[in-house]
Amino acid sequence: MPEEANIQRPEGHILTELCQRVAAHYQRRGTMDRDFVTALPWLSFVRMPEPTVLNRGMLQPSMCIVLQGRKKMLIGDNVTEYGPGSYSLAAVDMPVSGQVTQAIESAPYYGVRIDLDSKEIADLIVSLQITLPEKQHEASNAGAWVTQSDEALQEAFLRLVKLLDTPDDLPVLSKLIKQEILYRLVTAPAGSAFWKQTLAWTQGKGVGEALAWIKRHFAEPLKIDELAKRVGMSSSSLHHRFKALTVMSPLQYQKQIRLLEARRLLLSGSLDVANVAWLVGYESPSQFNREYRRSFGAAPLQDVETLRQMGVTL
């Protein structure tokens, strides 16, 4: 009971009902799996019955609101711990570290996640001619951050989750509610940074194009001068703007993608460490081992064995 008393629960009737409805979906389906994919492919729930270790991964463009429990996220050197009503928002693919810090079986961590599409958001901004106030709170210059939701946004999420109980209404009404959620994300106090980064991403030039190229060619040698020329920028400008958005240099970003892919391949169990190192772009297995340990806190095989014991799949 003392442990349960310390769990941070939803604040306010909207979050409380939202949390209860998400928990009911797990109960009705008879599953206690971590991830729950709903009838809407872009809407999912997260449940954690206990705290997790700090784990590194790729945060894709998405928004995830915490309903119960607490979570910690490390973006670059910035560590944020947050609880019910707060949400993480990512405008671009971002390597981050995160962990659930507060959860128990009788009061699990619950979250609701929406996958975001930058083009969809940009089209909404243009079609509705959304303009932002000149002075707005800038949450961050980086491509991901954490901020607090208001009741209007929480209420839109509640209506969306309620809609899952009327499948015939999903095709039409879910799109309208999603548009409302996107509108509220863009016009929120921290929305100007999200607005700017979304529009910049959809332009298909500069940093956005560099990010896309690195993701497609992460196993290839990366030369900044050649990449800058490819995307029509100077090397110094690319480095500066890339780091402002992703909180790391292009080379650091490539390394994180390589290591995350290596972790996924090792967890599949079909390849040994040396072959995985070569496949993701390392010429030296010893260098791969050093950088893997530095990133994940353990040697490759030890780390993968720990993940398997925890039931983690990538």
Side-chain angles (χ1 to χ4, degrees):
M1 185 60 69
E3 281 187 344
E4 186 169 347
N6 291 330
I7 297 296
Q8 191 163 357
R9 298 181 182 276
E11 299 176 359
H13 69 281
I14 300 175
L15 279 182
T16 298
E17 183 178 355
L18 186 52
C19 186
Q20 291 170 346
R21 287 182 173 273
V22 168
H25 276 281
Y26 278 93
Q27 293 165 1
R28 285 202 299 267
R29 189 177 289 186
T31 178
M32 290 298 133
D33 292 343
R34 174 186 132 170
D35 297 315
F36 184 109
V37 179
T38 71
L40 298 169
W42 44 268
L43 173 68
S44 59
F45 307 146
V46 181
R47 179 187 185 275
M48 292 290 188
E50 60 186 7
T52 64
V53 298
L54 188 65
N55 192 28
R56 194 156 188 82
M58 183 68 71
L59 182 62
Q60 297 176 332
S62 60
M63 180 267 196
C64 185
I65 184 169
V66 175
L67 306 181
Q68 182 169 272
R70 291 188 68 80
K71 189 174 185 179
K72 180 188 293 182
M73 183 174 290
L74 173 63
I75 306 172
D77 295 326
N78 184 33
V79 180
T80 303
E81 188 167 357
Y82 54 105
S86 294
Y87 63 91
S88 60
L89 181 63
V92 298
D93 291 323
M94 287 282 294
V96 300
S97 296
Q99 71 178 128
V100 171
T101 58
Q102 194 182 84
I104 58 175
E105 182 61 48
S106 59
Y109 166 92
Y110 281 117
V112 178
R113 170 187 165 120
I114 285 184
D115 295 329
L116 300 178
D117 182 289
S118 297
K119 185 178 185 304
E120 181 180 15
I121 299 167
D123 288 344
L124 178 73
I125 293 170
V126 172
S127 63
L128 297 184
Q129 298 183 335
I130 297 173
T131 57
L132 302 178
E134 291 184 4
K135 294 184 179 180
Q136 283 216 342
H137 166 64
E138 293 284 348
S140 170
N141 289 322
W145 58 89
V146 174
T147 191
Q148 183 70 26
S149 65
D150 59 17
E151 285 194 0
L153 181 59
Q154 294 170 15
E155 204 276 335
F157 266 93
L158 178 57
R159 283 187 279 112
L160 182 61
V161 173
K162 283 182 176 180
L163 194 61
L164 295 172
D165 295 331
T166 55
D168 291 343
D169 297 333
L170 281 177
V172 175
L173 297 184
S174 65
K175 295 177 183 177
L176 297 177
I177 299 176
K178 186 180 184 183
Q179 280 197 330
E180 179 187 347
I181 290 173
L182 296 179
Y183 168 80
R184 297 198 180 282
L185 291 177
V186 170
T187 58
S192 57
F194 185 51
W195 178 81
K196 292 174 185 176
Q197 290 160 6
T198 298
L199 291 183
W201 176 257
T202 57
Q203 290 174 352
K205 297 181 180 179
V207 176
E209 195 174 42
L211 279 163
W213 189 91
I214 293 173
K215 285 172 60 183
R216 290 195 304 268
H217 304 277
F218 66 86
E220 301 177 16
L222 176 60
K223 297 181 179 179
I224 301 302
D225 290 344
E226 293 181 3
L227 181 60
K229 184 177 180 181
R230 182 185 299 274
V231 300
M233 299 175 67
S234 69
S235 298
S236 59
S237 178
L238 173 61
H239 187 276
H240 175 76
R241 290 178 57 192
F242 195 103
K243 192 166 186 178
L245 182 63
T246 67
V247 297
M248 60 188 70
S249 70
L251 286 169
Q252 290 171 327
Y253 188 85
Q254 180 199 47
K255 182 173 74 173
Q256 290 302 316
I257 293 178
R258 284 179 169 182
L259 292 172
L260 288 169
E261 175 62 11
R263 201 183 205 189
R264 186 190 68 80
L265 291 171
L266 287 168
L267 197 55
S268 72
S270 58
L271 296 167
D272 61 26
V273 173
N275 277 320
V276 166
W278 178 79
L279 280 174
V280 300
Y282 284 89
E283 296 181 358
S284 166
S286 60
Q287 181 190 8
F288 169 72
N289 275 275
R290 286 195 304 272
E291 294 191 354
Y292 191 103
R293 181 187 290 273
R294 191 177 300 123
S295 183
F296 298 120
L301 293 181
Q302 181 184 352
D303 174 59
V304 169
E305 181 60 29
T306 300
L307 290 175
R308 287 179 179 147
Q309 290 175 1
M310 296 169 57
V312 174
T313 58
L314 298 179

